[in-house]
Amino acid sequence: MSEHSTYVPGNAAEKWLDERLPVVRFAKEHLMDFPTPKNLNYWWTFGAILVLCLGVQIVTGIILAMHYTPNVALAFDSVEHIRRDVNGGRIIQAVHSVGASMFFAALYIHIFRGMFFGSYKAPREILWILGVVIFILTMATAFMGYVLPWGQMSFWGATVITNIFSAIPVVGESLLQLLRGGFAVGNPTLNRFFSLHYLLPFIIAAVVVLHIWALHVPGNNNPIGVEVKDKRDTVPFHPYYTMKDAFAMVLFLIPFAWFVFFAPDILGHPDNYIQANSQVTPSHIVPEWYLLPFYTILRAVDFNVLFINSQLGGVIAMGLSMLALLVVPWLDTSKVRSGTFRPMFKWFYALFVLDFIALAYLGAQEAIEPYTTLAKVCTGYYFLHFFVILPVLSRIEIARPLPTSISESVLGKAHS
Amino acid sequence: MLTFKTIIAAVAIAAGMAAAPAFAAEGTAPPVEKQSWSFAGIFGTYDENQLQRGFQVFREVCANCHSARLLAFRNLTEDGGPGFTEGQVKALAAEYEVADATAEGGVRPAVAADRWPSPFATDQDARDANGGVVPPDFSVLAKARGIKDAFPWWITNYFTGYSEGGPDYIHALLNGYHDEAPEGFDLPEGKFYNDYFPGHAIGMGPPLQDELVAYEAGEGQEPVPMTVEQYSHDVAAFMMWLAEPGLVSRKETGFKVLLFLIAFAGLMYATKRKLWQGIEH
C-alpha cells in the first residue's frame, strides 16, 4: 500500500540507501503509517500477542537446546539438569513449557475471533488459509516438543500419534517407519523430532511473514465488518496500535507469569515426570490439552464404514476437521462479515464454541460411556456446524442493517 | 431467540446428567485428603526442620530400597532446602562410598559433589530384591504423582495454583495401608492392600510404623510426635523439595515479577488511554 507512504529520506545517506534497498521506507509504510481501522477491540490484539509468543518460544528454545541432550538414555535427566543446575534454567524451561500452552490459548482466541467477525471472508481468504497453515504447523511443533523430555507421556503420545499415519492406505507402513526411524518409537525418533522441532518454528515464522503480508494487502477486518471507506475510519498503526498491542501483551504476561512461577506443572501431566519406559503403558494416555479437540475427533470414529476401518475413519475425520477450517470462507457465504449483525449466526457460533470446549474436555476422558457417545455427538456437531449450519444460515438468515461506515458506527456508539 | 437458548440449555443439562454417574462410579477409593503444606500458595516456603526430619526418614527407611539419582550431597546445603551446613554434609558424604573407576579398589568415600549412591548396583539387582519391580527413583517422584479432583472443581486449581497433588498422594498412600484386604478383594501373594494405590495391590509393605525413626528435638524445641502420620508428612515434604529444590526462589521471583507486571500494565494502560483520548473508537 505504497500510496500511504509519507516517507521522505532525511539525508543523503538515507536517500542513497532508499534507492538501493528501501527497508526504511518499508518499515515506515508497514510498521508505522499502515492505516488501521480505529474501531478494533481487544480481541484484535492477539495477533501481536502471538508474535510475542513465537518470539518467546524461539528464544527460550534456543537456550534450552544448548543444554539438552537428544538421546533416550540422557534426555530425561538433561531436562532435570536444566531445571536444577543451569543458571536460570528452571525459569527458562518453565517459560518454554508454559509458553506452549499460552501460545495455544492465544491461537484459539485469535482463530475464534476470526470466526465470529467473519475475518475469513473475501478478500481475506488467503490470509485465513495461511493462518490455518500456521495453526497446523504449530500443533506439529508442539507435539514434537512434548516428546523431547522423554517422559512416559512423551513416549506413549509419540507412539499413539505416529501410529495415526499407519492408517493411510498403501504408503502408511513405510511412512510410519520413516517418521519413527524404525519399527518402534526410539532413539532415532527422538533425534529426528528434536531436529524438526528446531526447524519448524522458523518455517512458522516465514509463514507468519506471508500471513502479515496477506493482511497488509486488504488491510484489517474490524468488529463491524464494514470495509474502510476513507481516511477518517483509520488511524496509523503507530503509535495507536503499537501502544494498544504493547499494553495487551503486558496484560497477557500476567497469567503467563502466574503459571510459570506458581504452577509450572499444572498444565502438564504428572506421568511425564516418569522416564519413558516402553515396557509399561500408562493407564490412560492423553495428549496436551491443546490437541484434545482433534484427538477426540480422531477417537470418536470407533466403527467401520463400508471398506474404511475405524482407524482410517478416525484419521479421515481428523483431516476433515482441519480441512473444514481451510474451506470455511466458501462454506459461510453470507455477505455480512461480523457476527454482531447476524442474529442467528450469533447463537450457533456460541453453540460451536461450547461444542469445541466439550470436544477438548472429552479428549481427556477415558474411552468409556458416556464419554464415547458424547464424543460422537460433539464430533458430529462440529461437522454439522461447518458443512450444514453455516451454508444454510448464509441463505436463510436476515441480517440486521449494517452501519454505512466505521466512523458512523463509532459516533453512534459514542452518543447512544 | 428462545429456541436457541433452549437448545443450549438442553445440551448443558444433558451433558451434566450424563457426566454425573460416571464420576460417582470412580469413587471406589476414599478421596485423598488434601493436607496443609508450608510450601503451598504464593508465599509458600519449605520448613527447614521438616525437611531435615523428612531427610532422616528418607535416609533411614526409604533409601534402603529407593534411589534418588539426581540428588547430590551438596544440594542439602543449598538455599531453600533442609539447610544443613557444609561441614555436616561433608561428614555425611564421607559415611558413604561411591564407585569411581579412577580410585584405588574402584571405590572411594563420597564428597559433597557426588550424587546420592543408589541402594542397588544395577536395576536387575533392584528387581531381584523387590519382587521383580524396581522401586521408583525418588528424584522427581513427588511431581510424578497427583490426585484427580472431580469435575468441575479442578478448574479452581488453576486459580489457586494447587501443585501439591504429589505430596498429598504420597501422604495418603503411606497412611492408606490395611492389615487385610476387604472381603471379596483378591489380593495376590506378596502384595499389600492400600486404599490409594491404583488397583489397591501394592508391592511395598507398610514402610513406616510409630517410633520407627528417632527424632531428636533441638534445645528449647517441642518434641515432634514420632507417628506414621508425622513421618509421612515429613517425608512427603522432603520428596517435594527433592523434586522441586528451587521452589522457594521461584515463588519469590514470581511475586516480584507479578507485582512488576501489574504496575507496568497500569502505566501502559494510562499511556494508551491518553494517546487514544482524542479519537472516537
mmCIF file of all heavy atoms in Angstrom, chain A residues 367-383:
data_model
loop_
_atom_site.group_PDB
_atom_site.id
_atom_site.type_symbol
_atom_site.label_atom_id
_atom_site.label_comp_id
_atom_site.label_asym_id
_atom_site.label_seq_id
_atom_site.Cartn_x
_atom_site.Cartn_y
_atom_site.Cartn_z
ATOM 1 N N ALA A 367 -11.915 -43.832 27.366
ATOM 2 C CA ALA A 367 -12.839 -44.264 26.317
ATOM 3 C C ALA A 367 -13.911 -45.185 26.891
ATOM 4 O O ALA A 367 -13.946 -46.375 26.622
ATOM 5 C CB ALA A 367 -12.074 -44.960 25.204
ATOM 6 N N ILE A 368 -14.776 -44.623 27.760
ATOM 7 C CA ILE A 368 -15.885 -45.397 28.325
ATOM 8 C C ILE A 368 -17.156 -44.570 28.182
ATOM 9 O O ILE A 368 -17.096 -43.359 27.950
ATOM 10 C CB ILE A 368 -15.651 -45.718 29.825
ATOM 11 C CG1 ILE A 368 -15.210 -44.450 30.571
ATOM 12 C CG2 ILE A 368 -14.622 -46.813 30.002
ATOM 13 C CD1 ILE A 368 -15.271 -44.545 32.064
ATOM 14 N N GLU A 369 -18.299 -45.231 28.305
ATOM 15 C CA GLU A 369 -19.557 -44.488 28.322
ATOM 16 C C GLU A 369 -19.619 -43.649 29.586
ATOM 17 O O GLU A 369 -19.082 -44.046 30.617
ATOM 18 C CB GLU A 369 -20.736 -45.471 28.269
ATOM 19 C CG GLU A 369 -20.907 -46.154 26.935
ATOM 20 C CD GLU A 369 -21.223 -45.192 25.796
ATOM 21 O OE1 GLU A 369 -21.651 -44.044 26.081
ATOM 22 O OE2 GLU A 369 -21.033 -45.564 24.646
ATOM 23 N N PRO A 370 -20.255 -42.456 29.573
ATOM 24 C CA PRO A 370 -20.956 -41.885 28.422
ATOM 25 C C PRO A 370 -20.068 -41.079 27.494
ATOM 26 O O PRO A 370 -20.543 -40.475 26.538
ATOM 27 C CB PRO A 370 -21.949 -40.943 29.119
ATOM 28 C CG PRO A 370 -21.186 -40.432 30.300
ATOM 29 C CD PRO A 370 -20.322 -41.592 30.751
ATOM 30 N N TYR A 371 -18.745 -41.046 27.794
ATOM 31 C CA TYR A 371 -17.875 -40.153 27.034
ATOM 32 C C TYR A 371 -17.817 -40.507 25.551
ATOM 33 O O TYR A 371 -17.750 -39.628 24.698
ATOM 34 C CB TYR A 371 -16.463 -40.173 27.635
ATOM 35 C CG TYR A 371 -16.445 -39.799 29.094
ATOM 36 C CD1 TYR A 371 -15.959 -40.673 30.051
ATOM 37 C CD2 TYR A 371 -16.943 -38.565 29.507
ATOM 38 C CE1 TYR A 371 -15.950 -40.336 31.391
ATOM 39 C CE2 TYR A 371 -16.943 -38.219 30.846
ATOM 40 C CZ TYR A 371 -16.450 -39.107 31.789
ATOM 41 O OH TYR A 371 -16.457 -38.773 33.107
ATOM 42 N N THR A 372 -17.827 -41.817 25.250
ATOM 43 C CA THR A 372 -17.685 -42.190 23.841
ATOM 44 C C THR A 372 -18.886 -41.710 23.025
ATOM 45 O O THR A 372 -18.718 -41.223 21.910
ATOM 46 C CB THR A 372 -17.531 -43.718 23.700
ATOM 47 O OG1 THR A 372 -18.460 -44.344 24.576
ATOM 48 C CG2 THR A 372 -16.141 -44.163 24.074
ATOM 49 N N THR A 373 -20.076 -41.811 23.606
ATOM 50 C CA THR A 373 -21.258 -41.341 22.888
ATOM 51 C C THR A 373 -21.245 -39.819 22.769
ATOM 52 O O THR A 373 -21.492 -39.266 21.697
ATOM 53 C CB THR A 373 -22.542 -41.790 23.616
ATOM 54 O OG1 THR A 373 -22.489 -43.198 23.781
ATOM 55 C CG2 THR A 373 -23.772 -41.395 22.836
ATOM 56 N N LEU A 374 -20.911 -39.153 23.880
ATOM 57 C CA LEU A 374 -20.838 -37.692 23.838
ATOM 58 C C LEU A 374 -19.819 -37.233 22.796
ATOM 59 O O LEU A 374 -20.040 -36.258 22.085
ATOM 60 C CB LEU A 374 -20.450 -37.153 25.219
ATOM 61 C CG LEU A 374 -21.576 -37.052 26.240
ATOM 62 C CD1 LEU A 374 -21.022 -36.640 27.588
ATOM 63 C CD2 LEU A 374 -22.628 -36.042 25.778
ATOM 64 N N ALA A 375 -18.686 -37.951 22.709
ATOM 65 C CA ALA A 375 -17.654 -37.592 21.736
ATOM 66 C C ALA A 375 -18.206 -37.684 20.320
ATOM 67 O O ALA A 375 -17.928 -36.829 19.471
ATOM 68 C CB ALA A 375 -16.437 -38.497 21.891
ATOM 69 N N LYS A 376 -19.023 -38.706 20.069
ATOM 70 C CA LYS A 376 -19.604 -38.856 18.730
ATOM 71 C C LYS A 376 -20.565 -37.706 18.447
ATOM 72 O O LYS A 376 -20.569 -37.141 17.355
ATOM 73 C CB LYS A 376 -20.341 -40.190 18.628
ATOM 74 C CG LYS A 376 -19.413 -41.380 18.550
ATOM 75 C CD LYS A 376 -20.168 -42.628 18.123
ATOM 76 C CE LYS A 376 -19.287 -43.859 18.210
ATOM 77 N NZ LYS A 376 -19.248 -44.474 19.537
ATOM 78 N N VAL A 377 -21.381 -37.367 19.455
ATOM 79 C CA VAL A 377 -22.344 -36.282 19.276
ATOM 80 C C VAL A 377 -21.613 -34.971 18.992
ATOM 81 O O VAL A 377 -21.934 -34.248 18.041
ATOM 82 C CB VAL A 377 -23.234 -36.143 20.539
ATOM 83 C CG1 VAL A 377 -24.090 -34.886 20.471
ATOM 84 C CG2 VAL A 377 -24.100 -37.381 20.705
ATOM 85 N N CYS A 378 -20.599 -34.677 19.801
ATOM 86 C CA CYS A 378 -19.874 -33.410 19.643
ATOM 87 C C CYS A 378 -19.109 -33.374 18.320
ATOM 88 O O CYS A 378 -19.029 -32.332 17.671
ATOM 89 C CB CYS A 378 -18.919 -33.188 20.808
ATOM 90 S SG CYS A 378 -19.791 -32.864 22.341
ATOM 91 N N THR A 379 -18.526 -34.510 17.930
ATOM 92 C CA THR A 379 -17.828 -34.567 16.649
ATOM 93 C C THR A 379 -18.825 -34.343 15.510
ATOM 94 O O THR A 379 -18.562 -33.570 14.580
ATOM 95 C CB THR A 379 -17.144 -35.937 16.473
ATOM 96 O OG1 THR A 379 -16.233 -36.117 17.550
ATOM 97 C CG2 THR A 379 -16.403 -36.018 15.156
ATOM 98 N N GLY A 380 -19.965 -34.997 15.618
ATOM 99 C CA GLY A 380 -20.998 -34.811 14.604
ATOM 100 C C GLY A 380 -21.403 -33.354 14.507
ATOM 101 O O GLY A 380 -21.521 -32.801 13.404
ATOM 102 N N TYR A 381 -21.567 -32.708 15.664
ATOM 103 C CA TYR A 381 -21.987 -31.313 15.634
ATOM 104 C C TYR A 381 -20.917 -30.418 15.023
ATOM 105 O O TYR A 381 -21.225 -29.452 14.326
ATOM 106 C CB TYR A 381 -22.361 -30.821 17.038
ATOM 107 C CG TYR A 381 -22.965 -29.440 16.952
ATOM 108 C CD1 TYR A 381 -24.288 -29.273 16.527
ATOM 109 C CD2 TYR A 381 -22.203 -28.307 17.194
ATOM 110 C CE1 TYR A 381 -24.830 -28.015 16.367
ATOM 111 C CE2 TYR A 381 -22.742 -27.037 17.036
ATOM 112 C CZ TYR A 381 -24.057 -26.903 16.631
ATOM 113 O OH TYR A 381 -24.585 -25.659 16.453
ATOM 114 N N TYR A 382 -19.643 -30.748 15.271
ATOM 115 C CA TYR A 382 -18.539 -29.973 14.688
ATOM 116 C C TYR A 382 -18.695 -29.908 13.163
ATOM 117 O O TYR A 382 -18.647 -28.846 12.555
ATOM 118 C CB TYR A 382 -17.210 -30.629 15.069
ATOM 119 C CG TYR A 382 -15.967 -29.934 14.538
ATOM 120 C CD1 TYR A 382 -15.277 -29.034 15.322
ATOM 121 C CD2 TYR A 382 -15.481 -30.201 13.256
ATOM 122 C CE1 TYR A 382 -14.130 -28.400 14.854
ATOM 123 C CE2 TYR A 382 -14.342 -29.575 12.782
ATOM 124 C CZ TYR A 382 -13.668 -28.673 13.580
ATOM 125 O OH TYR A 382 -12.546 -28.054 13.104
ATOM 126 N N PHE A 383 -18.949 -31.084 12.569
ATOM 127 C CA PHE A 383 -19.078 -31.120 11.110
ATOM 128 C C PHE A 383 -20.392 -30.502 10.653
ATOM 129 O O PHE A 383 -20.454 -29.849 9.614
ATOM 130 C CB PHE A 383 -18.927 -32.554 10.604
ATOM 131 C CG PHE A 383 -17.522 -33.054 10.736
ATOM 132 C CD1 PHE A 383 -17.202 -34.034 11.663
ATOM 133 C CD2 PHE A 383 -16.512 -32.527 9.956
ATOM 134 C CE1 PHE A 383 -15.900 -34.477 11.803
ATOM 135 C CE2 PHE A 383 -15.200 -32.959 10.089
ATOM 136 C CZ PHE A 383 -14.893 -33.939 11.023
#
